Amino acid sequence: VLFRSIVKLNITTYIIESGLSKNKNITNLINNIQNKKIKHFLVKRKNNMIDRAHLFNCAIKHFIKNESIIIMGDCDIPILNNIIECIKDIKEKKYNFISPYDYIIKLNSNQSTSIIRNKNDLNLINLKNFTFTNNLYTFSGGILIANRETFENIGLWFEFDDYGCEDTVLDVILYKLKKNEIKRYSNIYFHLWHPTYNYDNIRFMKKVKDRKSTRLNSSHANISYAVF
C-alpha cells in the first residue's frame, strides 16, 4: 500500500531498514517496481529493537544528501495526496514542520487486508465504511514533514536506546522552540493493522531517569524533562 502511494506521488523515497541484512521481500518489491526514485538502505543492528529516531537520524545524516524538505513516516500509514500541499507550504516557508492529518483511523486486520487487496486510489476510500475514533496522534508521530535545515538546527530526533517516546520528546521541543512554525492539517489518514506491543508510562519514566538530560540540555536549548 505504501509503495502504491509513493509511486503515484512520484517522490524520491528512502526506505531505511534496521537489522543484520535487508529484507528480501522489500528488495524484490523495489526491483519489481523498477522505480529509480525508491532507494533502500540498511542500518545494521545486532539486536531486534527498533530505534525509530536513530533510523531517521541516520537517513538524514548519511543517506539523504540533497533534499531540503524531508517527509518522515512509518510504513503502516500510507501517504495521501495532501502531502503535496504540505511540501508546497514548507517550500514557500509558511511553516517548517507539518503533520498532514488530525485524525487517524486505526483499521482492524480485515479492513487492512481489504485495502491491501483493493487497487483503488486510497484518497477515494469511502469513510462511511469505517468506525471513527478520536485517535489524535502526537504532532510528530506517524508522519512528519520538515524543513531540513531548521530540523538539523534543533538537533534532529532525540534518540533512546529503545522503542518509542521519540515523538513525545520532539513535540515538546517543537512547541517550546518552534510553536509559530508548526501546522497540523485537517485530514484523515489510515493506520494499517499489525501486531502491537504494550509500552507503559512507567517504562518511559525509567528511560527519563536513566538518561538524565545530558544530550537534551546540550542540543535542545535546555528543555527539561520536567515538562512531562
Side-chain angles (χ1 to χ4, degrees), residues 5 76 80 103 106 112 131 133 139 144 157 179 184 190 198 209 228:
S5 59
D76 51 17
L80 301 184
Y103 278 91
K106 282 202 169 183
S112 296
T131 301
T133 57
F139 177 80
L144 176 68
W157 294 89
K179 190 173 183 179
R184 187 191 285 275
F190 300 90
N198 293 321
K209 184 178 179 181
F228 295 104

Side-chain angles (χ1 to χ4, degrees), residues 203-214:
R203 187 165 153 278
F204 169 57
M205 292 312 296
K206 183 178 184 303
K207 287 185 188 180
V208 173
K209 184 178 179 181
D210 291 346
R211 284 295 297 270
K212 306 295 184 184
S213 55
T214 307

Side-chain angles (χ1 to χ4, degrees), residues 19-34:
L20 292 176
S21 60
K22 289 183 179 180
N23 185 301
K24 291 182 179 179
N25 291 331
I26 297 176
T27 302
N28 291 337
L29 187 56
I30 294 173
N31 291 337
N32 290 336
I33 293 174
Q34 294 183 338

Side-chain angles (χ1 to χ4, degrees), residues 84-100:
I84 299 300
E85 182 183 355
C86 298
I87 293 171
K88 181 180 177 182
D89 281 351
I90 290 184
K91 191 173 183 179
E92 294 176 353
K93 302 188 182 304
K94 293 181 180 179
Y95 309 99
N96 281 318
F97 301 90
I98 294 177
S99 173

Side-chain angles (χ1 to χ4, degrees), residues 15-113:
I15 297 173
I16 313 300
E17 190 177 352
S18 175
L20 292 176
S21 60
K22 289 183 179 180
N23 185 301
K24 291 182 179 179
N25 291 331
I26 297 176
T27 302
N28 291 337
L29 187 56
I30 294 173
N31 291 337
N32 290 336
I33 293 174
Q34 294 183 338
N35 187 324
K36 293 183 179 179
K37 286 193 172 185
I38 299 177
K39 307 176 188 299
H40 188 194
F41 296 97
L42 176 72
V43 176
K44 287 193 173 182
R45 293 178 68 92
K46 292 182 179 179
N47 58 46
N48 292 324
M49 184 59 68
I50 299 172
D51 187 343
R52 183 173 178 268
H54 179 67
L55 293 181
F56 281 146
N57 286 344
C58 281
I60 296 168
K61 293 175 182 177
H62 304 294
F63 306 137
I64 303 173
K65 299 297 184 180
N66 302 315
E67 284 76 1
S68 59
I69 299 171
I70 303 172
I71 305 169
M72 296 159 284
D74 300 336
C75 60
D76 51 17
I77 304 178
I79 295 173
L80 301 184
N81 286 349
N82 79 319
I83 211 80
I84 299 300
E85 182 183 355
C86 298
I87 293 171
K88 181 180 177 182
D89 281 351
I90 290 184
K91 191 173 183 179
E92 294 176 353
K93 302 188 182 304
K94 293 181 180 179
Y95 309 99
N96 281 318
F97 301 90
I98 294 177
S99 173
Y101 48 74
D102 55 358
Y103 278 91
I104 287 280
I105 297 180
K106 282 202 169 183
L107 306 181
N108 60 36
S109 179
N110 291 335
Q111 291 169 333
S112 296
T113 300

